[in-house]
Amino acid sequence: RLQGDWSSDVCSSDLTTPSLAPEYYGYTFVVDGVKILDPLNRYTHVNFVDLYSDILVPGTPPRPWEVTDIPHGDVTRHLFTTHIGLHYPDNQTAYVVYTPPGYDAKRKGGYPVLYLLHGFSDTEDGWTLTGRANLMLDRMLADGKIVPMIVVMPRGYGDFDVVAPQRATGAAAAGLNDRNITLFGKILTDEIIPSVERLCNVAKGRDNRAIAGLSMGGQESTTIGLTRPELFAWVGGMSSAVPRSDYDTHFPGLDAKKANLRLLWIACGTDDRLITSNRAFATWAKQKGFPVTAVETPGAHTFVVWRDDLLAFAPLLFR
């Protein structure tokens, strides 16, 4: 986000920041101690906990997350009733689907699928509205860097109270995070994947299925990917909220040979508070014999890092 000791006279419309690299940035105004959105900016980060306005610092040439004159895929949103998730209003949740340019519903063999998970407090639109994942996928396809794939971005909560923890009390609050991860895994495997495979022309088998996510979604993707290898051959975590230690307890009975993952990709920004736990997790996974690719890049816990992560991860898939 745009942060710093910047101020301007209340009668002035001008504000000068330090030079910023080409990127999307979030910002808010503080008026009499109250944080507000920019009333003249229609681009808003949609979030269950926090809102802020978005601004683009464009690049020359344009960066992969900018709109350019290339073929674009379609982004559709699918609402459904969950019979597994808890505390959703009217039991309604959703997922977003990206289909590549030229998507052919009758193509022989179908398309591989990446299940791409957002972080805590984001919606199912986090990767498209804020992350601009669809534009980056378009760019990578136009440049021949990735294979055509479907990307599914679910609303990643098993217990919706996790974004309103004041509603949970006592034992329910104590087990909220673990319950959220466990139930979301069941929503994904028992409700979302079957729905996607009914609606889309999907290639069959684990080698054509990947899962990755950021922060909370990174914890979900590594947990689901390591414990359900019969479903996913490609697993990625970006700044994952993995446990800090005792991985054998959190992931009991793992057998790297039986799992036979094609890739376990673990990335984190070097200025991220989660870098230590991600380093420890990568070391543990390597010792277990998993095919770990550990990536560290400059940056903190922001989409500035996660956009670059997706640009590095997606070209590795389904080769």
Side-chain angles (χ1 to χ4, degrees):
R1 300 190 186 185
L2 298 179
Q3 294 180 338
D5 187 17
W6 306 328
S7 61
S8 61
D9 187 273
V10 292
C11 296
S12 171
S13 61
D14 297 328
L15 172 67
T16 301
T17 75
S19 178
L20 297 168
E23 256 294 356
Y24 273 98
Y25 295 92
Y27 69 96
T28 55
F29 296 137
V30 178
V31 180
D32 294 331
V34 178
K35 186 168 67 174
I36 65 169
L37 297 173
D38 184 345
L40 300 181
N41 184 352
R42 62 191 178 95
Y43 296 104
T44 301
H45 175 91
V46 179
N47 189 283
F48 287 120
V49 174
D50 192 19
L51 296 177
Y52 52 85
S53 301
D54 275 342
I55 188 171
L56 171 65
V57 178
T60 305
R63 301 294 289 145
W65 45 81
E66 298 181 46
V67 177
T68 54
D69 186 15
I70 58 174
H72 294 289
D74 290 328
V75 176
T76 57
R77 184 172 179 271
H78 301 264
L79 189 70
F80 70 97
T81 299
T82 177
H83 300 282
I84 297 172
L86 298 178
H87 304 120
Y88 273 103
D90 300 319
N91 296 321
Q92 298 300 293
T93 184
Y95 60 87
V96 169
V97 176
Y98 166 87
T99 50
Y103 169 76
D104 182 356
K106 297 182 179 180
R107 187 177 93 162
K108 185 177 180 180
Y111 295 81
V113 184
L114 165 62
Y115 289 86
L116 186 61
L117 312 182
H118 62 74
F120 172 75
S121 77
D122 261 340
T123 72
E124 64 277 8
D125 301 300
W127 265 111
T128 51
L129 294 183
T130 304
R132 272 71 182 187
N134 54 311
L135 297 180
M136 292 191 291
L137 293 161
D138 293 338
R139 179 76 268 171
M140 286 187 280
L141 279 168
D143 292 343
K145 293 182 177 180
I146 62 173
V147 302
M149 66 181 76
I150 296 169
V151 180
V152 178
M153 294 157 277
R155 185 180 296 177
Y157 306 104
D159 187 334
F160 200 53
D161 272 359
V162 77
V163 290
Q166 66 274 14
R167 291 203 299 257
T169 59
L176 185 56
N177 183 64
D178 289 344
R179 183 168 63 254
N180 177 63
I181 300 294
T182 299
L183 290 177
F184 172 71
K186 293 179 180 179
I187 292 173
L188 179 67
T189 59
D190 296 356
E191 294 181 329
I192 295 175
I193 290 178
S195 176
V196 169
E197 295 188 348
R198 287 192 301 270
L199 293 172
C200 301
N201 183 12
V202 170
K204 304 300 181 183
R206 66 187 293 273
D207 283 343
N208 293 303
R209 203 179 288 123
I211 185 169
L214 67 88
S215 194
M216 178 191 75
Q219 181 183 12
E220 292 170 338
S221 64
T222 52
T223 299
I224 297 167
L226 290 178
T227 58
R228 298 297 304 271
E230 75 279 10
L231 295 178
F232 301 97
W234 314 81
V235 179
M238 310 170 188
S239 308
S240 302
V242 293
R244 296 187 179 186
S245 61
D246 199 13
Y247 302 110
D248 287 319
T249 298
H250 289 282
F251 302 99
L254 292 185
D255 186 322
K257 289 185 178 180
K258 288 183 179 179
N260 192 29
L261 294 183
R262 300 287 297 276
L263 176 66
L264 177 56
W265 197 82
I266 301 170
C268 195
T270 54
D271 300 317
D272 195 313
R273 66 188 185 279
L274 298 175
I275 186 65
T276 300
S277 56
N278 275 265
R279 285 170 176 165
F281 178 67
T283 299
W284 170 83
K286 287 179 181 178
Q287 292 171 346
K288 286 288 185 179
F290 286 98
V292 176
T293 296
V295 177
E296 295 185 5
T297 55
H301 204 72
T302 71
F303 264 110
V304 174
V305 171
W306 303 323
R307 275 189 278 269
D308 284 339
D309 284 344
L310 183 60
L311 291 170
F313 179 69
L316 304 177
L317 300 177
F318 313 124
R319 299 292 187 180

